[in-house]
Amino acid sequence: MPSYTAPVRDMQFVLHEMLMVSQAGIPGYEDLDSDTTQAILDEAGKLASSVLAPLNAVGDAQGCRLENGVVRTPDGFRAASDQLRRGGWTALDCDPEYGGQGLPYLMSTAVGEILSAANMAFNMYAGLTHGAYNAIHAHGSPEQKAMYLPKLVSCDWGGTMNLTEPHCGTDLGLIRTKAEPQDDGSYAITGTKIWISAGEHDLCDNIIHLVLARIPGGPEGIKGLSLFIVPKFLVNEDGSLGARNRLECVGLEHKMGIHGNATCVMSYEGAKGWLIGEPHKGMRAMFTMMNEARLGVGLQGYAQGAVAYQNALAFAKERQQGRAVTGVAAPDAPADPIIVHPDVRRGLMDQKAITEGARAFVFWGASLIDRAQRCNDPDAEGLISLLTPVIKGFLTDKGFETCVLAQQTPGGAGFTRDLGLEQFVRDARITMIYEGTNGIQSLDLVGRKLTADGGKHVMAFFDLVKTFIAENKGDDNFEAQFLTPLKSASKDLQAAAMFFMQKGMTSPDEALAGSYDFMHLFGHVCLGLMWARMAKAAGKAMGSGGDTAFLQAKIATGHYYMARQLPATKLHLARIESGAAPVMALDPAAF
C-alpha cells in the first residue's frame, strides 16, 4: 500500500522564501509567519498521512453503492469526514461571519494539496461544498447566505454543481432542465443532470444542489440560464430540516478512477428551488464556482503526481537491480539500488521538477486571487483569469504524465494493484476531462483570455518576465542556467501570440489548431519563471546559512527543468506556426 508524507519543507520554502508572504502587502498575510504556517501544514499532514491516505485504497476497492436512492460511501469515509469537520479544515478561508476562519485562500490551497494528494476522491466532497459556498457567498441574497452558508462552511451540509445533461456537456446553451415559477416565489425544477460529483452520499445531513435551469420565456442559449438552490431536504425557517425534496440519484457512473467519490445521475421532478441572483444570469454565478473548481482541478493533477513521485522514489531507493555503469555503488549488497541508473534518474528528475514547479505556480496563482480579492486589485484579477486555463490544462496534463512516469519507475510492479501506483494514474486521468476538458481550456485561453482587455494581461505577464530577467542579471552562472533559457522561452511565447494576432482574425482555424500547443508553451514558461524565482530564492537563503542540502537540491532541480523541459517551447512554437493546414487537411469522411 502506498504512503504519503506532506511536503511541508517544500511548501514552507515556496511560501516564505519564494513568495515571502509576510512581506507581500496583502491583508491577512502579515499573520502568516513561518511558525503559524508550519503548525497548520504539520497538522494537515498528520491528518492526511494517518487518516486519509490509508482510506485511499479502501475507497478505490469498495467504491460507492446506491441502495434505495441512498449512496453509501466506502468504509471509514464518514468517520474521516467527521474528523475533518471537527478540526475546522473545511472552514479555513471561509467568511468568519458564517463560521469560517478567514485565512487567506493561499493557505486553503496549501492544505488542499495535502488532503487531495492523500485521498483525492474523499477530498472532492468537501471541495464541491466549498465551491457551492463561494457561489452563494458571491451571488446569494442575505437570507440565502444566512440559511445555507454556516452549514456549508462546517460541511454539516454538502454542496454540488449541476450543469451537464445527457444530451449536452460543454455547450450549456442546450440545457433543457426547466424552472417553473411558483406562487410562493420558489421554482419547480424538472430535468435530468449527469456526472454530478457528490450528488448523493451519506457524509452529511443535507446536500445543497446548485442547478442550472431555464425559466420558460427567457432568451435562448446560455443567456437564458438561471441558477437555483435546490436542497435535498427542504429547510425550515428556523434552519431545521423539513420534507424530502422531489429529487433523487437514479444511477451511479462506473468510472476508471476516483471510485470513492459518488458520480451521480440526478433526477429532478418538480423539485422546489430558489433563484440565486437575477433571472437569466446563471452562468455568471456558476462561473464563480467553476473558476474555483478549475484551479482546484489543476491542484489535483499535480497533487496526484506528487504522491506518486514520493512512492516511486521510495521504490527506486530500495529496489536493487544491476550495477551502476560507473562502478559499484553498494558493495555490501548483491546489486545497486535502481536510482543509480541514468534513465531511472531521468524519470525521477522529471517527476520532481514538474511537481515542485507546479506547486510554486499554483501557490503563486492563489496569492494572485488573494491580492485580487483582498486588495481589490483588477490587474491581479486579470492575470489570474489569464492563467486559470493554463493552471487547469497544463498542470493536469503534466500531473497525469508524472503519475505515468512514477508507475514506470518500478517496472512491472507498477502495473499491479499491490504497489498502488496504478490508482494514482487512474485517479489523475479525470483531471484532464472534468471542469472543462483540457482542449476547452486551450480554446478559452486563445479565444477569450489572450485578447481580454485588448491583450493587457498577457502583455503584463511578458513585462513581469522581462522585469525579473532585468533585475537579476549580474551572476554569470545564474544568468546562463536560468535567465537565458527563460528569455528564450518567453520569446517563443511572444512569437506564438503574435502568430495568433496576425492570423486569427482572418482565419480562426489558424489560432485554434495551435491552441493546445500554446497552452503547453505558456505552461512551460510559467514553470520556467517559477524555477528561476525559486533558484534565486534558494541562492539567497544559502548565503544566509540556510538548509544547504535542501537548497542545493532545489537549484539543481531547477537547472534540470531549464535544460531538459523548458526547450519544449520550441517544439510547441513550430507546431503552432505550421498553421491549420496539416490539422484540417483530411475530410471527415477520410478518417
Side-chain angles (χ1 to χ4, degrees):
M1 179 183 293
S3 62
Y4 175 68
T5 302
V8 175
R9 175 66 183 93
D10 197 64
M11 290 180 165
Q12 286 284 86
F13 172 82
V14 175
L15 291 172
H16 297 287
E17 293 169 89
M18 189 193 97
L19 293 175
M20 296 187 291
V21 290
S22 298
Q23 305 167 42
I26 299 173
Y29 275 41
E30 68 277 4
D31 297 326
L32 299 181
D33 59 85
S34 181
D35 289 344
T36 299
T37 58
Q38 180 86 35
I40 293 170
L41 298 176
D42 280 344
E43 287 304 310
K46 291 175 185 176
L47 176 67
S49 61
S50 64
V51 177
L52 302 188
L55 290 175
N56 200 35
V58 173
D60 185 59
Q62 292 185 4
C64 296
R65 309 183 313 278
L66 178 60
E67 299 175 349
N68 300 318
V70 177
V71 171
R72 305 297 182 189
T73 53
D75 293 346
F77 271 41
R78 178 61 193 247
S81 182
D82 290 342
Q83 191 167 343
L84 195 76
R85 187 182 300 116
R86 287 194 302 269
W89 295 106
T90 64
L92 285 179
D93 66 325
C94 296
D95 190 340
E97 183 177 348
Y98 303 103
Q101 298 181 36
L103 288 172
Y105 178 70
L106 175 58
M107 288 310 300
S108 178
T109 299
V111 170
E113 180 197 326
I114 293 172
L115 303 183
S116 184
N119 195 325
M120 176 176 156
F122 172 85
N123 196 52
M124 287 172 64
Y125 292 101
L128 286 156
T129 301
H130 192 277
Y133 156 84
N134 267 347
I136 296 173
H137 190 270
H139 301 283
S141 68
E143 294 77 17
Q144 289 171 338
K145 293 178 184 180
M147 177 172 287
Y148 297 108
L149 292 188
K151 295 291 189 180
L152 291 172
V153 167
S154 66
C155 272
D156 288 328
W157 295 350
T160 72
M161 59 178 177
N162 286 232
L163 288 78
T164 306
E165 299 184 2
H167 61 282
C168 71
T170 301
D171 190 354
L172 295 175
L174 300 176
I175 280 177
R176 297 173 185 162
T177 298
K178 293 189 301 184
E180 299 276 0
Q182 304 297 296
D183 292 340
D184 63 358
S186 68
Y187 290 77
I189 311 297
T190 302
T192 300
K193 298 289 185 176
I194 63 171
W195 301 337
I196 308 306
S197 299
E200 166 62 31
H201 56 83
D202 57 3
L203 301 183
C204 58
D205 299 330
N206 201 7
I207 300 174
I208 309 305
H209 300 284
L210 299 190
V211 183
L212 273 181
R214 192 176 298 282
I215 300 172
E220 295 295 321
I222 62 172
K223 292 183 179 179
L225 295 178
S226 302
L227 187 63
F228 298 88
I229 295 174
V230 188
K232 175 180 172 179
F233 288 97
L234 300 178
V235 182
N236 298 319
E237 289 186 6
D238 63 359
S240 63
L241 297 184
R244 173 70 185 254
N245 208 349
R246 298 182 64 182
L247 61 92
E248 64 176 325
C249 171
V250 296
L252 290 177
E253 303 292 352
H254 302 285
K255 311 183 296 289
M256 175 181 175
I258 56 168
H259 296 159
N261 190 267
T263 306
C264 303
V265 179
M266 300 297 299
S267 176
Y268 297 85
E269 297 291 342
K272 192 174 284 287
W274 287 266
L275 180 69
I276 301 178
E278 301 175 40
H280 319 310
K281 300 294 184 183
M283 287 304 296
R284 181 174 62 182
M286 183 57 78
F287 267 113
T288 298
M289 194 171 185
M290 288 177 66
N291 284 334
E292 177 192 350
R294 287 173 175 173
L295 290 166
V297 171
L299 181 149
Q300 286 179 336
Y302 86 79
Q304 291 304 288
V307 64
Y309 163 65
Q310 281 190 13
N311 286 274
L313 177 62
F315 186 98
K317 288 182 174 181
E318 294 170 2
R319 174 70 168 179
Q320 295 175 349
Q321 188 166 305
R323 291 295 189 185
V325 294
T326 54
V328 175
D332 296 332
D336 291 333
I338 64 172
I339 197 170
V340 304
H341 303 306
D343 191 61
V344 174
R345 192 77 64 87
R346 171 197 59 80
L348 292 169
M349 286 297 292
D350 280 340
Q351 295 166 56
K352 181 176 173 64
I354 290 295
T355 296
E356 293 180 12
R359 177 176 299 122
F361 186 19
V362 168
F363 282 23
W364 176 50
S367 74
L368 289 173
I369 291 174
D370 281 329
R371 187 174 295 281
Q373 295 178 348
R374 292 174 174 245
C375 302
N376 195 26
D377 186 336
D379 292 335
E381 176 69 30
L383 185 54
I384 190 56
S385 179
L386 170 71
L387 296 176
T388 293
V390 183
I391 289 172
K392 196 281 183 186
F394 179 69
L395 295 189
T396 57
D397 278 354
K398 288 298 179 181
F400 176 74
E401 180 182 307
T402 298
C403 290
V404 172
L405 283 169
Q407 185 189 31
Q408 185 75 14
T409 303
F415 198 64
T416 67
R417 290 191 174 182
D418 291 343
L419 201 61
L421 288 168
E422 59 87 34
Q423 183 188 345
F424 300 131
V425 173
R426 289 186 289 107
D427 286 352
R429 186 63 182 88
I430 186 59
T431 65
M432 303 159 72
I433 297 172
Y434 63 11
E435 304 308 335
T437 66
N438 287 356
I440 293 296
Q441 302 305 314
S442 71
L443 296 180
D444 178 46
L445 174 63
V446 170
R448 295 177 63 245
K449 302 298 177 62
L450 192 61
T451 57
D453 296 325
K456 171 184 176 181
H457 306 300
V458 74
M459 294 305 297
F461 178 82
F462 292 145
D463 286 344
L464 190 153
V465 175
K466 183 178 179 180
T467 299
F468 177 85
I469 292 171
E471 290 178 348
N472 290 284
K473 289 183 176 180
D475 182 329
D476 291 344
N477 193 47
F478 181 73
E479 191 164 344
Q481 292 188 359
F482 290 94
L483 298 186
T484 298
L486 177 60
K487 183 177 181 179
S488 176
S490 181
K491 286 184 176 180
D492 291 339
L493 183 62
Q494 292 176 60
M498 184 60 67
F499 177 85
F500 291 155
M501 291 177 187
Q502 292 173 344
K503 302 283 189 177
M505 294 299 293
T506 57
S507 178
D509 279 353
E510 296 285 345
L512 299 184
S515 62
Y516 209 93
D517 280 285
F518 185 79
M519 181 178 72
H520 271 249
L521 200 168
F522 206 153
H524 275 297
V525 175
C526 288
L527 260 63
L529 176 61
M530 295 302 102
W531 273 115
R533 290 179 65 181
M534 286 192 286
K536 186 69 178 180
K540 181 180 179 182
M542 269 205 303
S544 303
D547 182 351
T548 302
F550 172 86
L551 298 169
Q552 286 177 338
K554 182 65 70 175
I555 293 170
T557 306
H559 181 220
Y560 177 89
Y561 184 86
M562 307 305 272
R564 298 279 303 209
Q565 288 279 343
L566 194 56
T569 60
K570 303 203 177 302
L571 169 65
H572 292 301
L573 177 60
R575 288 173 173 171
I576 290 166
E577 291 181 337
S578 72
V583 176
M584 306 300 290
L586 279 185
D587 185 87
F591 279 85

